[in-house]
Structure formats: C-alpha cells, structure tokens
Amino acid sequence: MSNSSPIETREISDADLDGVAGGLSVGGTVDGLVAKVTQGPGGVPVLEGSVKSIGITVSDIPLGPIAL
C-alpha cells in the first residue's frame, strides 16, 4: 500500500470553462528533481530522472455547489 493521499477529480463542462473570466490560474512546485540525459540507441537522447514531490494548483474555475 502506498503512502499517498487520494486525489479528488471532477469533470468540468465546456460551458463552465467558457465562463471563466481571464482564463485559468495554474501554479505548481517541484521538489527533489533529478534528471540525467544519456545517449541511447542510434544517438537518440534518453532522459532519466526522478522527483520527490509535485504540487499543482488550478484556480478561477467556478464549480458551483458541491454535494457532500
């Protein structure tokens, strides 16, 4: 069992997205990023890496009432 929190998702209709004044606000953070580029078969670059955590915030979307 992983030690992670559940992620809540919900669909957003096109009409709701069209009604967002000024567009979406998106922000985020990345912690513990490690990346390494090596040469793969045929000289194709291969990116290998890991990340400790990623946080993404999306705001300015009117979702209406939420039923609990």
Side-chain angles (χ1 to χ4, degrees):
M1 184 65 90
S2 67
N3 187 17
S4 62
S5 300
I7 298 173
E8 180 180 334
T9 61
R10 120 189 275 209
E11 288 191 31
I12 301 170
S13 71
D14 288 339
D16 286 338
L17 287 175
D18 290 343
V20 175
L24 302 175
S25 295
V26 180
T29 59
V30 176
D31 184 34
L33 175 64
V34 176
K36 177 183 173 186
V37 178
T38 58
Q39 190 172 11
V44 176
V46 176
L47 175 64
E48 298 176 3
S50 65
V51 65
K52 183 177 177 184
S53 67
I54 297 174
I56 299 173
T57 303
V58 180
S59 58
D60 296 337
I61 303 174
L63 297 177
I66 298 174
L68 297 176

